Amino acid sequence: MTDEHDAIRAVARTRVAGASASDGRDAVACEEPLEIQVRGVPVAVLMRTPGHDEELARGFLVTERIVRAADEITAVRHCRVVEDPAAEDNVVAVSLRADVALDLEALRRNVVTSASCGICGKASIAAALAVAPPLDDPLRIAPETLHAIMATLAAAQPAFAATGGLHAAGLFAADGTPRVVREDVGRHNAVDKVVGWALARGALPLAGHVLAVSGRISFEIAQKALAARIPLVAAVSAPTSLAVDLAERANLTLAGFVRGQAFNVYGSRTRVIGAERRTKD
């Protein structure tokens, strides 16, 4: 059973500040897939921070209109019999009243779920690498270019400026030149729009490019970058634990907290100029 400590995990990172760089540890939000089963049938896989999983399952069932009242649910519990021991806390079984009618096949086809596979982080990463192998990209970028990229992204968000309610994703060349910026209420949608723009122009794979996002770097965003062959993802906020795990396995570079005069580098450090001259904190 998960508790509050499962929401945080320590990962390796390199802190780049001006001309100096130092190695250390960082606390990141934990991200793991959660499979929701209804009457023994898997209906959704959601990426979440472990903890309060029964509440998440109940809320998902209500907001997706799978159930309409609390008393239709008779039990919510973690499954303890799973194929992979690593997935023990990542499967929730829901029981419903006998008189609640469900078209489970239609539900499995129509419910919007995560793009990832598997019900443990290891399986999710393996699935991502099965369709998109580790990157071999010689991109090298200066810290000041990353700061300029994030400034350009912030300035290219008219809908956010008007509403305060959208995410942005931008594709940039290695010298910081913007290729395209897109906004959307969903951060993953914004990334998909950027990749779709490149696809329509025959620009895939996107070797030597930087993907900049306005929020955090989740596993799904890292996975999308890997699939598009983008070697570096930069963000104003933090990566999640599973995004860092994927970056380390896939030779992907993540730059988090790119604001002010410094940022953190996770995964492959060699693409950030100066990060190789790092010391220990």
Side-chain angles (χ1 to χ4, degrees), residues 146-162 167-170 172 176 178 180-183 212-214 236 258:
L146 281 177
H147 287 297
I149 284 173
M150 299 313 296
T152 300
L153 181 72
Q157 299 179 50
F160 175 81
H167 292 282
F172 294 80
V180 64
V181 175
R182 292 289 182 262
E183 294 182 278
V213 294
S214 60
V236 297
V258 187

Side-chain angles (χ1 to χ4, degrees), residues 170-230:
L171 184 68
F172 294 80
D175 64 357
T177 301
R179 300 286 306 280
V180 64
V181 175
R182 292 289 182 262
E183 294 182 278
D184 198 278
V185 293
R187 60 174 55 86
H188 306 124
N189 296 341
V191 172
D192 284 339
K193 288 178 179 179
V194 165
V195 175
W197 175 92
L199 177 65
R201 286 156 179 78
L204 292 180
L206 290 166
H209 283 78
V210 175
L211 175 67
V213 294
S214 60
R216 71 182 183 275
I217 307 173
S218 66
F219 171 80
E220 288 168 310
I221 287 179
Q223 180 186 38
K224 289 176 186 294
L226 176 63
R229 312 311 285 166
I230 301 172

Side-chain angles (χ1 to χ4, degrees), residues 86-121:
E88 183 175 327
D89 286 319
N90 292 346
V91 183
V92 167
V94 179
S95 300
L96 305 180
R97 282 197 333 247
D99 63 330
V100 177
L102 290 177
D103 184 345
L104 288 174
E105 286 305 313
L107 184 61
R108 285 197 293 183
R109 289 193 301 270
N110 296 328
V111 167
V112 177
T113 65
S114 164
S116 63
C117 303
I119 48 175
C120 71

Side-chain angles (χ1 to χ4, degrees), residues 20-46:
S20 66
S22 60
D23 278 349
R25 305 287 289 174
D26 197 13
V28 299
C30 193
E31 183 184 31
E32 287 285 335
L34 177 71
E35 180 178 276
I36 299 175
Q37 299 179 358
V38 178
R39 289 177 176 161
V41 178
V43 299
V45 177
L46 310 177

